[in-house]
Amino acid sequence: MKKLYKTLVALSVAATALGAAAQNFPDKPVTIIVPFTAGGPTDRVARDLAEALRKPLGGATVLVDNAAGAGGSIGANKVAKANADGYTLLVHHIGMATMPTLVRNIPFKVETDFEYVGMINDVPMTVIGKPTLPANNMKELAAWVAQNKGKVNLGNAGVGSASHLCGMLFQQALGVEMTSVPYKGTAPAMTDLMGGQIDLMCDQTTNTTSQIEGKKVKAYAVSSPKRLTTPALKDLPTMQEAGYKGFNVSIFHGLYAPKGTPAPVLKKLNDALKVALKDPEFIKKQEGLGAVVVNDKRVEPAEHKKFVASEIAKWSPVIKAAGVYVD
Ligand code: ASP
């Protein structure tokens, strides 16, 4: 009896401490883990978001930490195993939906090891090439690729990354196999593309818009079904317009916390996310990069989770058919 009493007291003390911790959240810096390299598109979204979250989180410091590799699964695993107190968060992209099929022996479950805080944005992709490529439009690019069969290099952020998925669809569309060159993120791949060490890449507009604007790379098409309105991108045809029917890739980004994060902390995080997504400065920055900030029910945890589940169902057969995996 005494033992039971002691246990109950200990439990209630712990619960009170937890409640107080949740109430005071955040009273120390919050860290967002990005599962790709610094300076890349996911990193960019996370850093803009970190800034926009500061105010609605009561002026808290929001840091960004990069844990790149294995198609985004190394950083995701770090968050899945982190303390579930709201101080370690994950910003991930479509990889949340592709990792379950792609990564063999994945050390966590996307569906059950995370709390879904909400969706951030939708980002189209662009087909870009090294500055010395002789092709000036999609038709000429397709001809150049055909002429250089067996020699064309396509950069990406590793198996299962958004750039890899887009690259797979691109090769299927053109009917030519290319050599995939994996990096830990598309930031270092972009450096090599600009330097001419690789030939082509398909990457989020959040990484490519300023390079296209500065004519540091050649741009051929966008992956979205509609043309974009961003000034530097508005003249690019869609892949569908260029004759590749059904070509449509859009990359989402979302915010996640470890499973078991207390509900009041999650509510604070979701409330802060909603404020950040309405922040005119954040919207302006994202729109300037061709990204569309979420303005619908997918900002709600349950709706975002439903959306990710539908993306898992969409990509799983594509990945299985392509026979690709990460070990
Ligand atoms: N754009 C990368 C990808 O292909 C990710 C990144 O470097 O942020 O998934």
Side-chain angles (χ1 to χ4, degrees):
M1 194 64 197
K2 224 176 177 181
K3 207 168 161 202
L4 178 66
Y5 176 74
K6 265 192 176 165
T7 314
L8 285 176
V9 169
L11 275 177
S12 98
V13 167
T16 314
L18 255 178
Q23 210 167 34
N24 297 336
F25 177 86
D27 60 3
K28 60 180 186 188
V30 173
T31 300
I32 296 178
I33 305 256
V34 172
F36 297 104
T37 47
T42 311
D43 182 67
R44 185 127 198 201
V45 171
R47 283 177 202 271
D48 285 353
L49 182 73
E51 218 174 293
L53 282 174
R54 211 154 281 165
K55 222 196 218 162
L57 283 178
T61 302
V62 184
L63 305 165
V64 174
D65 203 6
N66 301 82
S73 61
I74 290 175
N77 190 40
K78 231 175 154 178
V79 178
K81 308 283 189 299
N83 282 341
D85 54 9
Y87 289 98
T88 310
L89 306 174
L90 173 72
V91 164
H92 209 322
H93 66 8
I94 195 167
M96 262 329 249
T98 54
M99 287 185 304
T101 320
L102 271 163
V103 186
R104 287 207 290 205
N105 305 319
I106 188 166
F108 57 87
K109 282 210 160 63
V110 158
E111 297 91 336
T112 51
D113 285 347
F114 295 94
E115 303 288 354
Y116 288 52
V117 180
M119 185 152 143
I120 305 165
N121 64 10
D122 266 309
V123 191
M125 303 192 90
T126 43
V127 176
I128 53 174
K130 62 181 178 186
T132 51
L133 266 189
N136 288 318
N137 52 49
M138 243 339 276
K139 204 169 158 208
E140 289 177 16
L141 180 64
W144 181 84
V145 165
Q147 274 159 19
N148 288 280
K149 232 183 186 161
K151 287 189 278 182
V152 180
N153 292 320
L154 187 62
N156 61 49
V159 180
S161 61
S163 43
H164 181 237
L165 295 174
C166 187
M168 281 195 316
L169 289 186
F170 185 68
Q171 292 176 70
Q172 275 170 18
L174 266 65
V176 179
E177 236 180 83
M178 304 174 201
T179 308
S180 167
V181 185
Y183 294 79
K184 283 191 171 175
T186 42
M190 178 63 96
T191 307
D192 276 7
L193 185 72
M194 292 190 296
Q197 282 89 355
I198 52 170
D199 301 309
L200 294 170
M201 181 157 75
C202 181
D203 199 19
Q204 286 107 299
T205 56
T206 32
N207 195 32
T208 63
T209 305
S210 55
Q211 318 293 4
I212 293 170
E213 209 170 10
K215 304 220 177 333
K216 300 219 173 74
V217 291
K218 283 203 162 175
Y220 296 100
V222 292
S223 68
S224 47
K226 272 202 214 143
R227 281 195 185 212
L228 307 176
T229 52
T230 313
L233 308 171
K234 68 176 187 350
D235 294 330
L236 290 176
T238 67
M239 278 294 281
Q240 303 203 31
E241 262 178 76
Y244 303 99
K245 264 213 189 118
F247 197 106
N248 175 11
V249 196
S250 176
I251 304 307
F252 66 86
H253 290 89
L255 183 66
Y256 311 90
K259 185 76 192 170
T261 304
V265 171
L266 286 173
K267 165 107 177 54
K268 281 190 180 179
L269 287 169
N270 179 259
D271 286 348
L273 176 66
K274 284 178 184 151
V275 174
L277 300 188
K278 293 255 179 300
D279 178 340
E281 200 46 43
F282 179 72
I283 294 175
K284 203 172 125 204
K285 276 192 207 158
Q286 293 289 299
E287 282 180 353
L289 297 168
V292 181
V293 174
V294 166
N295 189 12
D296 56 47
K297 58 185 185 183
R298 291 173 303 170
V299 72
E300 299 297 342
E303 288 298 330
H304 181 48
K305 194 164 185 183
K306 237 196 252 167
F307 173 74
V308 175
S310 73
E311 286 284 293
I312 294 175
K314 172 175 154 186
W315 285 100
S316 169
V318 177
I319 295 161
K320 282 187 186 147
V324 287
Y325 56 84
V326 183
D327 261 325

